[in-house]
Amino acid sequence: MRVDPVLLAATEPGGQPIHYAAASGVFSLSWLVIVLPVAGAAVLLLGGRRTDRVGHIIGTLAAAASFVLGLVLFATLLGRDGDDRALSQHLYSWIPVNGFGVDVGLLVDQLSIVFVLLITGVGTLIHIYSIGYMAHDPNRRKFFAYMNLFLASMLLLVLGNNFLSLYAGWELVGLSSFLLIKFWEDRPAAATAANKAFYMNRVGDVGLALAIMFMFATVGSTSYADVFGAAAAGVIGYGTLTAIALLLLLGACGKSGQFPLQAWLPDAMEGPTPISALIHAATMVTAGVYLIVRAGPIFDGTQAARTVVVIIGAATILIGCVIGCAYDDIKKVLAYSTVSQIGYMFLAVGLGPAGYALGIMHLVAHGFFKAGLFLGAGSVIHGMDDDQDLRHYGGLWRYMPITWVTFGLGYLAIIGFPGLSGFFTKDRIIETAFDKGGTSGYLLGSIALLGAGITAFYMTRLFLMTFHGKPRWSSEGPAAKHPHESPVSMTGPMVVLAVGSVFAGGLFVLGHSLQDWLEPVAGTGVEGVHTFSPVVLTLLTLVVTAGGFAGAYLRYQMRPVESVARPDTEVSLVTFAARHDLFANTFNETVAMRPGQYLTRFLVWLDLVGIDGLVRGSAAAIGGLSGRMRRLQTGFVRSYALSMLGGAVLVVGALLLVRAG
Amino acid sequence: MNTVPWLTILLIVPAAAAVVVAALPRRHATLAKQLTLAVTLAVLVLAVIATFAYDPDKAGFQFSQSYDWISTFGISYSVGADGISLVLMLLAALLVPVVVLSSWDEVDGDAAGGGRVPAPTAAPDLGTPGGSAGGTGPAGDVEGIGPVGGVGGVGGGAGGTTAVLAAPAPARPVTFPPVETRGEAETPGRRSVPAFFALLLALEAGMIGVFAATDVFLFYVFFEAMLIPMYFLIGSYGPVKEQAQRSYAAVKFLVYSLFGGLLMLAAVIGLYVVSADNLGHGTFDFATLRQMEITPGVQKLLFLGFFVAFAIKAPLFPFHTWLPDAGAQSPTGGAVLLVGVLDKVGTFGLIRYCIPLFPDAADYFAPMVLGLAVVGIFYGALLAIGQRDMKRLVAYTSLAHFGFIALGVFAFTSQAGTGAVLYMVNHGLSTGLLFLVVGFLVSRRGTRDVGAYGGLAKVTPVLAGVFLLAGLSSLALPGTNSFVSEFLVLVGTFTANKPLAIVATCGIVLAAIYVLYLYQRTMTGPIVHPENKILHDLSLREKFVVAPIVALIVALGVYPKPLLDIITPTVTATYADIGKSDPAPPHPVAAYPGHTHPVGTHPVGTRSVATQPGGHS
Amino acid sequence: MNPANYLILSALLFTIGTVGVLVRRNAIVVFMSIELMLNAVNLTLVTFSRINGTLDGQIMAFFVMVVAAAEVVIGLAIILSIFRTRRSASVDDVNLLKY
């Protein structure tokens, strides 16, 4: 067994188990953060049509109240000692069965409060945005109910103080995501996408569930304190630890749309755009990153699992980037961009303690700019009468200036324009990847660098095709479009998010503020030897990014864009593959779906003909036999008499035989 | 004994009410309904009070009563409750009033005939018997079992004497009699309403009895007696238009169960003989029998006798083929009770009788049972995915769930066992609700074929919501009741047998598929059939039917402790009795130093070690 | 006289009765054959009563006679009503009660 330095460190004196301070004061109200949106959802769902008129207000207020409470908690945490910012609250005993005692409890610490603020903050903004976006939808009340349900589930996920609470939140966000993807459920595509999302998430959930069972079987508990304590104390074997970590990773991949479970996320764009922004960009899909950071003590103990995490992260970066270049659907491009950005986060957290805080930083920054981008996309789609095809846009900046500016800021942030949030966070991830050292470090760093270039390319393509160039739509004729700016309720949140995308990064990096804040939970990396000096690397990144930008500019700004995509037969093999999601769906269908269908059909046949056939066969056999036997009943009295005589003779004969013998 | 004889009261009240209701003339249908509802609600209240009177920390049976019945053979009327049987009685007492309310308009059929169903729906119905028959087994099958149908005729004859079967169903080679004769042979109005409700009450008495009995022979008597009302519920009150199939299903159910019952009777008598040999006097008393040492060879034989009976009843793969037929052909209420409670007798028997009476044999056969259970989980799920008949689909999902229950029972850990018992209750609620909702759909639309639906969420949002909730409970989503039990079963199994638990856990993906695929086909998408555009959402009565179950599904998901507190001690004692204890974790929390670290000293102190190379500790 | 002779006679009578039941079709004749068998049994009973010196056999014979008389009454009534409806006294003609 290989000896991990962490294990050595942990077995030194002082490797004590973890105890969290008991929550008191304002923290004893932290359950309200979850309960407020639950109450909102309950009122809206049970209230029925009576609450139609005020549904959106109730929903938004519940989210906002939750956010305010989150702020209060955050402020109180700020006022506490740096070492004393993790508070655990026991609520009640959930599943007590002998040794398996699971409580419902909350843990407010540096990590979870960041998520609480992100979830409720972005969530509230998107609630406000949805008031306008969904204004004409007859089921707006339900939409808000589901969004509240989502907030509650997500908050449970990040606030739980044991893995089973996390699992409950984990599956419930899956449910909310399902409900919201299929929100327009009379569209078969939406219903199918929702089911696909749930199925693939369930595959990941199996991993998470098994990981929890492993923990219980090994440690006898599922609470963070116990499990991490044992992991840090080094009492869990390397094999077990790796198994647990890999199973957790499977769960994380399912929820975060990472390779090989990425195929559901682009399909999930069938849901209303605010949902794409809230769930499938800013919050839920980053839950996998949260899980890995939260389970840091486990991943720290197993280099093997961490290697798998970085491989998945790196692979997903490329997959997302490549496919993102090929799609013409604005939301699908953004979806694949999400996939690849989460790949960056996985890459970061897979690098260990050095990267945990970076992963979270990128996550928060991504939450701002990606939500902003999606809301901007929603605004464009709204203005273009629900047309999502980039090739039907062009020159829109004139018609929707606020959207143009806010979207543009988000766009600059994601490609890493100097000074904006993406610049700080992505740059650091690339740097840390190179710093890993060795061949793997170079490989990972290069992939991350390449990803930055491709990101710049496809995001520029998206931006130029949407807002610049010649309009490829007409304001006359049967397909007339009248692009217009969206109402204030929609542009307001976009502005806020754009501001966030601009400043968030700098805020985190200045004086390592977020990194220091998270340090007690995530630990800090070693300021080791730099493979390249940071300045060189930053310049290199900028050059690559500029290259991507230039490529897109030359291709999509200097040359006219066709309003119809070239057919599959005329494009290169790479484009063809990218247009077909690198054959991920084909693979899933061939490997899982079709064999499953055949197996199902075969089993239905087997059940009917085989097992039930056996049953019916024996019934028929007995029936047939009695059918023959009853022929003996001829109705002739004399033959009955004869058989009676025969019987009597037989009996007497037998008696005689016995007597004689 | 100066305590209140709760169990006997619970038993006698519905039984007496059954006689009274059966004696009511046909025209007093409403009175029969009201009386039944009142009595079943009273039983529910009594059961709840009894639950509060129950002390979970006391070992052994409570509310025990024993009177000699056939003293020559040591048979007595003995009843008693432990944690396992108490919660199941509670489940039965809860589901019966729900079923009564749900069957309010189903039997006399004025509503089914056209009152509630919009007129345009009725016409195409008559034209699509083939569609609905497709699911119940090919028409040819029914012809193939002519002789069995003949038995149905005999049953019908017996039914005639109790004025239940309006037209005894002789073996008819024609699967679908022409429409006119069909209408004439049995219009819904010809079904006796009081008899239906009397059968429900009799069934309730039987269910309470079978869980309460602490005399093995008495258990056997109730075990078989339950079949009679169920047989008539299926055979006489199943789908109006499918006379041949429903008598086929009823006979199949009866013969299957009788076959198992017969094996069990042999084993019961065998137990008596063994007890006579061992103790000098034969007895059927459960408490005495479980103390008895039986030689392993004999144990195996007797175990098999009981096991096959329970495996058929539950049902476990491969003894399940009666369930889809019976489930599809029962009236909705019958199906709820059949799958919700009656089938639990099988799994209840496994943990109550098979394991404590024959510990060595249970140990010996455990791998086989566990194997069957896991196969059942996947087999049931895959078949459910492949069904087009909604009721058959739900029946197959139950097969998968019973796989989980059997897995939990035979994993021999207290977590898995407790989970399994809780699963019995939860499955009764979630599948019961699923059957109810499917029943609502069928009563509106007149067909069980999935293809006839689609896009209903728009027309009937409340119904769709309840349907989804029932489905989510069926796929064990956290926050619903089933999650607690399923996770307990899996985690308990995991500590005892990792590979098996890992395989079984993969079954939860299939659960998601069968539930959501069904939901997708029925509730989402555009409305393709114009008949579906005018369906009504849940009526007030129907909302009252589903409300208690919906509430319990959520409540037990969030706070299952009350039930767990009742179940756990009994299950733990059961396993401790046969010398099984939970495997201890290799690195328990208390095992590493410093566990008793005082609260308040903060972890961060530990964690700041993390500045060392390699990361945080 | 040797009691065995009575038994032999009884056996002969019984055989004749049996053959009569089996081979004759006329219901009246079959009926008479049955009577013959009953009386053969009576003879055996009385003989054994004599041999054993107890009255049990004789009492039993009385029982048989009474039953036979009752049987004759009902049997003849049935045969008559069959004859009236079917115009035949053949036992092979009344075979409605079959599979």
Side-chain angles (χ1 to χ4, degrees), chain A residues 4-6 9-10 12 14-22 49 82-87 92-100 104 110 142 164 167-169 171-172 175 178-179 182 185-188 191-192 195 198-199 202-203 205-206 209-210 212-214 216-221 225-226 228-230 232-233 235-237 293-294 296-297 300 306 353 356 519-524 526 596 599-600 603-608 611-612 615-616 619-620 623-624 626, chain B residues 137-138 141 144-145 147-148 248 252 256 317-322 324-325 378-379 382-383 385-387 392 396 414-415 418 457-458 461 468 472 475-479 483-484 486-488 490-491 494-495 498 501-502 505-506 508-509 511-514 516-517 519-520 523-526 556-561 564-565 568 572 582 584-589 592-617:
Chain A
D4 199 291
V6 178
E12 282 167 10
Q16 296 143 332
I18 295 163
H19 276 275
Y20 300 114
R49 301 205 176 284
D83 298 351
D84 194 21
R85 284 180 180 153
L87 297 113
Y92 63 91
S93 174
W94 186 19
I95 312 180
V97 177
N98 296 342
F100 186 77
V104 174
Q110 295 90 337
K142 254 192 204 166
L164 212 62
Y167 183 77
E171 287 230 313
L172 284 171
L175 167 70
F178 165 82
L179 290 171
K182 72 158 185 67
E185 55 196 343
D186 45 343
R187 297 183 187 169
T192 313
N195 276 18
F198 200 94
Y199 300 160
R202 259 271 147 140
V203 174
D205 294 349
V206 168
L210 284 174
I212 296 172
M213 291 176 210
F214 244 119
F216 173 70
T218 316
V219 186
S221 167
D226 294 335
F228 297 155
V235 294
I236 306 178
V293 174
R294 175 58 83 194
D300 286 349
R306 283 205 326 233
Y356 288 147
E519 188 252 305
V521 185
T524 45
V526 202
L599 181 65
T600 303
L603 285 179
V604 169
W605 174 84
L606 181 79
D607 199 55
L608 206 64
I611 298 181
D612 204 31
V615 174
R616 275 184 280 116
S626 26
Chain B
D141 295 341
I145 47 98
V148 182
Y248 167 72
K252 196 172 181 179
Y256 243 116
F317 174 85
F319 305 104
H320 63 274
T321 57
W322 64 270
D325 287 322
F378 284 88
Y379 189 84
L382 285 170
L383 274 164
I385 297 169
Q387 296 303 314
R392 286 178 75 86
Y396 275 114
S414 66
Q415 287 93 20
T418 306
K458 232 185 170 73
L468 185 62
L472 292 174
L475 66 80
L477 191 87
F483 167 70
V484 178
E486 193 164 300
F487 199 83
L488 275 173
L490 289 172
V491 84
F494 192 89
T495 55
K498 288 195 178 59
I502 292 173
T505 307
C506 296
I508 69 172
V509 178
I513 296 179
Y514 64 64
L516 295 182
Y517 186 42
Y519 183 84
Q520 184 187 356
M523 297 298 171
T524 67
L556 288 178
V558 178
Y559 192 58
K561 194 167 176 291
L564 285 173
D565 283 348
T568 312
T572 314
D582 300 345
H587 312 295
V589 182
Y592 54 91
H595 177 65
T596 48
H597 214 61
V599 178
T601 326
H602 201 257
V604 179
T606 5
R607 288 191 153 210
S608 47
V609 188
T611 35
Q612 288 166 359
H616 65 177
S617 60

Side-chain angles (χ1 to χ4, degrees), chain A residues 551-567:
Chain A
Y553 191 82
L554 292 174
R555 172 72 186 77
Y556 296 100
Q557 182 68 16
M558 308 303 283
R559 284 161 50 187
V561 180
E562 304 96 330
S563 61
V564 180
R566 275 186 288 169

Side-chain angles (χ1 to χ4, degrees), chain C residues 26-32 34-35 38 66-84 88-89 91 94:
Chain C
N26 190 310
I28 303 286
V29 180
V30 170
F31 212 72
M32 281 158 57
I34 291 174
E35 291 300 316
L38 285 173
V66 172
V67 170
E71 198 187 311
V72 166
V73 173
I74 294 173
L76 280 177
I78 292 173
I79 292 171
L80 263 176
S81 68
I82 288 177
F83 184 77
R84 280 192 186 158
S88 152
V91 287
V94 280

Side-chain angles (χ1 to χ4, degrees), chain B residues 212-607:
Chain B
T214 55
D215 180 285
V216 181
F217 190 82
L218 188 68
F219 171 75
Y220 171 77
V221 169
F222 279 119
F223 187 83
E224 297 286 46
M226 278 187 323
L227 300 179
I228 302 164
M230 200 62 226
Y231 170 79
F232 287 117
L233 282 176
I234 300 174
S236 311
Y237 294 92
V240 178
K241 287 177 231 152
E242 297 167 26
Q243 212 166 45
Q245 288 102 315
R246 70 167 197 262
S247 78
Y248 167 72
V251 170
K252 196 172 181 179
F253 161 75
L254 191 74
V255 173
Y256 243 116
S257 302
L258 278 180
F259 175 73
L262 200 65
L263 291 179
M264 186 167 111
L265 178 63
V268 166
I269 294 172
L271 258 184
Y272 175 79
V273 173
V274 172
S275 75
D277 283 352
N278 279 11
L279 310 170
H281 62 95
T283 179
F284 287 103
D285 181 48
F286 175 70
T288 319
L289 288 174
R290 75 186 289 182
Q291 305 296 335
M292 202 168 64
E293 293 286 333
I294 310 176
T295 50
V298 180
Q299 273 196 28
K300 282 176 198 165
L301 283 178
L302 298 181
F303 176 89
L304 282 182
F306 276 90
F307 176 74
V308 172
F310 296 142
I312 287 176
K313 194 90 200 172
L316 297 181
F317 174 85
F319 305 104
H320 63 274
T321 57
W322 64 270
L323 184 65
D325 287 322
Q329 297 297 331
S330 296
T332 300
V336 172
L337 290 182
L338 177 71
V339 178
V341 188
L342 250 67
D343 289 353
K344 299 303 170 336
V345 178
T347 50
F348 165 77
L350 288 179
I351 193 166
R352 163 65 84 74
Y353 292 96
C354 279
I355 288 181
L357 287 180
F358 319 111
D360 299 335
D363 223 22
Y364 178 82
F365 286 113
M368 177 195 82
V369 183
L370 292 172
L372 286 183
V374 172
V375 171
I377 291 172
F378 284 88
Y379 189 84
L382 285 170
L383 274 164
I385 297 169
Q387 296 303 314
R388 291 189 57 79
D389 178 318
M390 288 195 289
K391 282 190 171 179
R392 286 178 75 86
L393 193 155
V394 179
Y396 275 114
T397 68
S398 300
L399 183 59
H401 290 141
F402 288 125
F404 276 110
I405 297 177
L407 185 71
V409 170
F410 277 84
F412 297 131
T413 63
S414 66
Q415 287 93 20
T418 306
V421 175
L422 186 64
Y423 210 135
M424 296 180 205
V425 178
N426 288 338
H427 175 259
L429 295 174
S430 61
T431 305
L433 185 58
L434 216 46
F435 261 122
L436 284 173
V437 179
V438 168
F440 294 153
L441 285 176
V442 174
S443 73
R444 281 165 172 66
R445 193 63 179 72
T447 168
R448 302 189 300 271
D449 185 28
V450 177
Y453 298 90
L456 295 194
K458 232 185 170 73
V459 209
T460 58
V462 179
L463 196 155
V466 176
F467 189 52
L468 185 62
L469 184 85
L472 292 174
S473 171
S474 182
L475 66 80
L477 191 87
T480 62
N481 54 353
S482 309
F483 167 70
V484 178
S485 43
E486 193 164 300
F487 199 83
L488 275 173
V489 165
L490 289 172
V491 84
T493 311
F494 192 89
T495 55
N497 187 339
K498 288 195 178 59
L500 211 59
I502 292 173
V503 174
T505 307
C506 296
I508 69 172
V509 178
L510 294 181
I513 296 179
Y514 64 64
V515 167
L516 295 182
Y517 186 42
L518 173 66
Y519 183 84
Q520 184 187 356
R521 285 181 291 176
T522 51
M523 297 298 171
T524 67
I527 300 175
V528 264
H529 302 280
E531 304 93 306
N532 288 337
K533 285 198 177 127
I534 39 168
L535 294 189
H536 299 289
D537 209 343
L538 292 189
S539 67
L540 191 63
R541 176 180 62 83
E542 288 167 332
K543 279 180 189 161
F544 267 112
V545 171
V546 295
I549 304 189
V550 166
L552 275 175
I553 281 179
V554 176
L556 288 178
V558 178
Y559 192 58
K561 194 167 176 291
L563 281 189
L564 285 173
D565 283 348
I566 295 178
I567 299 169
T568 312
T570 308
V571 173
T572 314
T574 304
Y575 290 125
D577 229 35
I578 63 163
K580 300 276 180 193
S581 57
D582 300 345
H587 312 295
V589 182
Y592 54 91
H595 177 65
T596 48
H597 214 61
V599 178
T601 326
H602 201 257
V604 179
T606 5
R607 288 191 153 210

Side-chain angles (χ1 to χ4, degrees), chain B residues 4-19:
Chain B
V4 189
W6 289 111
L7 302 176
T8 307
I9 296 176
L10 284 178
L11 196 57
I12 286 179
V13 169
V19 176

Side-chain angles (χ1 to χ4, degrees), chain A residues 88-232:
Chain A
S88 181
Q89 186 189 14
H90 169 90
L91 292 179
Y92 63 91
S93 174
W94 186 19
I95 312 180
V97 177
N98 296 342
F100 186 77
V102 178
D103 297 338
V104 174
L106 304 179
L107 173 66
V108 182
D109 69 353
Q110 295 90 337
L111 181 61
S112 55
I113 199 74
V114 168
F115 272 88
V116 167
L117 292 179
L118 176 72
I119 295 161
T120 52
V122 175
T124 308
L125 287 176
I126 290 175
H127 272 74
I128 296 169
Y129 178 89
S130 307
I131 295 177
Y133 191 85
M134 301 296 284
H136 307 298
D137 196 291
N139 285 323
R140 182 166 68 166
R141 165 185 61 87
K142 254 192 204 166
F143 184 78
F144 277 86
Y146 293 160
M147 285 223 288
N148 272 351
L149 184 66
F150 166 76
L151 285 189
S153 321
M154 192 72 203
L155 289 165
L156 177 65
L157 194 162
V158 298
L159 279 174
N161 72 354
N162 61 68
F163 275 99
L164 212 62
S165 301
L166 177 138
Y167 183 77
W170 195 264
E171 287 230 313
L172 284 171
V173 291
L175 167 70
S176 331
S177 150
F178 165 82
L179 290 171
L180 287 162
I181 296 172
K182 72 158 185 67
F183 186 72
W184 290 315
E185 55 196 343
D186 45 343
R187 297 183 187 169
T192 313
N195 276 18
K196 183 175 174 184
F198 200 94
Y199 300 160
M200 295 191 77
N201 267 300
R202 259 271 147 140
V203 174
D205 294 349
V206 168
L208 184 54
L210 284 174
I212 296 172
M213 291 176 210
F214 244 119
M215 290 171 199
F216 173 70
T218 316
V219 186
S221 167
T222 63
S223 79
Y224 292 158
D226 294 335
V227 174
F228 297 155

